Amino acid sequence: MQTPTALEHLIEALRCLPGVGPKSAQRMAYHLLQRDRKGAESLALGLHNALEKIHHCQQCNNFSETETCPLCASGKRDPQLLCVVEMPTDLLMLEQTQTYTGMYFVLMGRLSPLDGVGPKEINLDRLLKRAQDGEVQEVILATNYTVEGEATAHYVGELLKARGLKVSRIARGLPMGGEIEHVDVGTLAQAMLERNAMR
Amino acid sequence: MYHFVSMKIPISRQDQQPVYVLHTYPYLETSLVVELFTRNFGRVATIAKGARRPRSAMRGMLQSFQPLVATWSGKSELRTLHEIEWQGGLHVLKGQALICGFYLNELMLRLLPREDPHEALFEHYQQALQALTGEEAQSIVLRRYEIRLLQELGYALSLTQEAGSGDDIDAGALYSFVPEYGAVKASPQSANGSASNGSGLQNKSGIQLRGKTLLDMAQDDYTDTQTLQQSKQLMRTLINHHLGDKPLHTRQLLIDLQQL
């Protein structure tokens, strides 16, 4: 049986999703066309709308429907603090803590030398410009504590320090309610190496 | 008609092997492909199932530059990683040392064939990581490792004898080092810097350096700044020769960062 070309096209298009191979793509396409045409329509509309409306915020580089995202435009945030995170989900997590009142910059990635992800791919030039707006006093590096996140923090930190900015890195160690007996050895080793003086 | 040959395939489970993680990349929805450098089996590619789930026990463990012990099994090119544990001891690579570490890993991924055991190289790798956390100049650590890597991989890299004749290298003489051949004495003309009249192709394609540089490298002595410079040039040429056309990402990254 010949598969119609529009269907073929749809299957091919679905494969752009992460973790979706030819079999899953086919299953999704058949499901959408046969069982859930309404859902398919709203999916198509949703994708179309999102592509049309969502851009990067010119200040923090996060996804935004407006030129400057609501958080940057609110005027309620401390413009002297700039927190650098890898992904929008990291920003959301930090917002949940309700401990940070400054601005953000979202890299949309991290330096990953072995995958060929360099400074261009993570918008370092835009970050440097953003951090030197004259108002930012301290840049807080909240990239992941993976080797890639550490490398990113190091280079971003060096570049910003060379431009006269105060740079700090979020701390790491035992989790809340962490019991030494059950914590992983790597975390414990780091916590020991980076211990703080009692204040 | 089929005959089932009852050939017992040995159970290829490897328990508690000392390893380092060279690189990981996402695989399917929640898994990771983990490139391991193992002491007894060389470079082994494994898949860590579910390692990208938020509560995965392996998740935090699969970081480069940490001494780990791993258990895997399987016969296909991608083994299944069952367990990974902290071996104790810690190399805290920071800043520039971290990039040097990435450079070592990239060299290994590009040059070391899979499943080709190099026990001595494992020791050298460990020593290099250790040294990168220490006081020694990073360039020296890298040169030392590059030499050992090429020697382990079996590329001709004699630093004490001339290629062809087998004569001892003379510290006072000038040499031309030809990839996959070795050092040959430079002709006096080219040594003086005047135009060589094409005396031997090898002089042209090789790297010009002092005999002393070669002997210093053999002795692992980099106190002479000229040795440091010339050895860098030599090793870069040799490594590029073995890498082929695709440049190293880590090198490009450093160039890009400098431009900011």
Side-chain angles (χ1 to χ4, degrees):
Chain A
M1 193 194 84
Q2 192 96 41
T3 326
T5 38
L7 183 56
E8 229 168 71
H9 182 80
L10 174 61
I11 293 171
E12 197 50 43
L14 284 168
R15 288 188 57 189
C16 75
L17 291 165
V20 174
K23 267 269 178 269
S24 320
Q26 197 179 42
R27 214 182 47 231
M28 287 177 184
Y30 280 130
H31 174 84
L32 287 173
L33 290 176
Q34 208 172 351
R35 305 240 175 266
D36 198 359
R37 288 186 87 98
K38 233 184 185 157
E41 208 178 316
S42 100
L43 177 66
L45 206 71
L47 272 177
H48 184 79
N49 266 343
L51 276 177
E52 195 102 304
K53 288 185 184 150
I54 297 183
H55 304 275
H56 291 285
C57 167
Q58 57 167 6
Q59 286 238 29
C60 70
N61 197 38
N62 200 355
F63 292 124
S64 168
E65 283 191 39
T66 43
E67 204 172 306
T68 308
C69 74
L71 194 149
C72 290
S74 74
K76 291 178 187 147
R77 311 288 298 205
D78 183 351
Q80 299 195 336
L81 288 174
L82 183 68
C83 178
V84 179
V85 295
E86 290 182 13
M87 301 301 286
T89 43
D90 301 335
L91 185 154
L92 289 177
M93 280 304 289
L94 282 169
E95 278 303 282
Q96 274 184 33
T97 68
Q98 302 190 8
T99 54
Y100 180 67
T101 54
M103 313 292 278
Y104 287 97
F105 188 88
V106 186
L107 296 170
M108 296 285 174
R110 70 223 62 145
L111 288 179
S112 182
L114 299 187
D115 300 308
V117 179
K120 282 180 217 123
E121 285 76 16
I122 60 164
N123 308 292
L124 276 197
D125 49 340
R126 284 192 52 201
L127 168 60
L128 292 184
K129 236 179 260 155
R130 171 71 185 85
Q132 293 177 101
D133 67 346
E135 286 200 85
V136 174
Q137 298 295 314
E138 179 182 352
V139 180
I140 301 160
L141 301 174
T143 55
N144 289 336
Y145 268 110
T146 57
V147 278
E148 285 86 5
E150 283 275 76
T152 310
H154 169 74
Y155 279 100
V156 172
E158 290 298 307
L159 288 166
L160 293 171
K161 273 194 275 178
R163 286 156 176 81
L165 285 152
K166 184 181 164 199
V167 179
S168 56
R169 175 97 170 99
I170 54 162
R172 63 176 149 185
L174 292 179
M176 277 290 279
E179 294 167 69
I180 291 182
E181 186 185 347
H182 300 299
V183 87
D184 76 277
V185 191
T187 305
L188 192 55
Q190 287 289 1
M192 184 55 90
L193 287 170
E194 292 177 19
R195 62 188 181 275
N196 292 325
M198 291 275 276
R199 269 176 290 195
Chain B
M1 201 171 101
Y2 295 99
H3 286 288
F4 287 98
V5 185
S6 71
M7 205 175 68
K8 262 219 169 130
I9 299 160
I11 302 166
S12 45
R13 183 182 168 99
Q14 300 300 338
D15 280 304
Q16 305 274 312
Q17 294 289 329
V19 302
Y20 282 95
V21 171
L22 290 178
H23 191 40
T24 62
Y25 46 94
Y27 181 75
L28 296 181
E29 197 79 329
T30 58
S31 301
L32 274 179
V33 171
V34 185
E35 289 271 5
L36 294 173
F37 180 39
T38 72
R39 185 202 297 273
N40 301 321
F41 303 88
R43 186 153 79 83
V44 175
T46 63
I47 157 162
K49 286 182 184 149
R52 274 157 65 220
R53 289 183 201 280
R55 301 239 169 250
S56 160
M58 281 197 208
R59 200 184 163 95
M61 220 52 105
L62 292 170
Q63 296 290 318
S64 297
F65 317 125
Q66 304 308 333
L68 303 166
V69 280
T71 300
W72 69 87
S73 71
K75 294 170 296 230
S76 61
E77 207 182 345
L78 268 181
R79 309 300 164 90
T80 306
L81 187 63
H82 296 294
E83 225 186 319
I84 198 138
E85 271 171 66
W86 201 268
Q87 208 202 12
L90 188 67
H91 310 300
V92 191
L93 298 189
K94 278 191 192 143
Q96 190 83 30
L98 202 50
I99 292 286
C100 293
F102 281 125
Y103 172 74
L104 294 186
N105 283 5
E106 193 173 15
L107 280 186
M108 305 283 285
L109 289 170
R110 294 284 301 277
L111 293 176
L112 193 68
R114 284 206 180 129
E115 320 263 335
D116 188 12
H118 286 283
E119 248 180 83
L121 195 61
F122 191 86
E123 302 295 327
H124 295 323
Y125 181 79
Q126 204 149 17
Q127 280 168 19
L129 290 184
Q130 204 99 57
L132 282 175
T133 64
E135 298 285 292
E136 197 169 22
Q138 287 157 1
S139 53
I140 297 175
V141 179
L142 296 185
R143 290 303 88 71
R144 184 182 301 137
Y145 190 74
E146 288 164 345
I147 295 170
R148 287 168 172 173
L149 176 64
L150 291 188
Q151 281 172 340
E152 268 292 319
L153 292 175
Y155 299 120
L157 192 70
S158 170
L159 299 168
T160 49
Q161 259 93 35
E162 246 187 271
S165 70
D167 291 345
D168 285 348
I169 295 284
D170 170 9
L174 275 173
Y175 290 87
S176 170
F177 203 101
V178 184
E180 285 185 83
Y181 186 67
V184 285
K185 239 188 194 129
S187 59
Q189 292 102 310
S190 58
N192 293 335
S194 60
S196 143
N197 51 3
S199 59
L201 224 123
Q202 282 152 0
N203 276 5
K204 277 189 176 168
S205 54
I207 283 283
Q208 304 279 323
L209 37 67
R210 306 170 309 158
K212 180 169 188 299
T213 298
L214 292 170
L215 293 173
D216 279 352
M217 285 168 76
Q219 296 278 317
D220 196 29
D221 173 6
Y222 294 90
T223 42
D224 184 340
T225 49
Q226 220 181 336
T227 297
L228 205 53
Q229 272 169 15
Q230 290 194 337
S231 63
K232 179 176 183 178
Q233 221 188 344
L234 172 65
M235 293 318 292
R236 176 169 289 201
T237 309
L238 292 179
I239 279 169
N240 284 349
H241 174 82
H242 293 299
L243 283 176
D245 299 329
K246 243 176 90 194
L248 287 172
H249 288 311
T250 25
R251 217 174 263 165
Q252 189 58 43
L253 182 85
L254 288 175
I255 296 169
D256 288 346
L257 280 168
Q258 239 136 48
Q259 280 167 355
L260 279 172

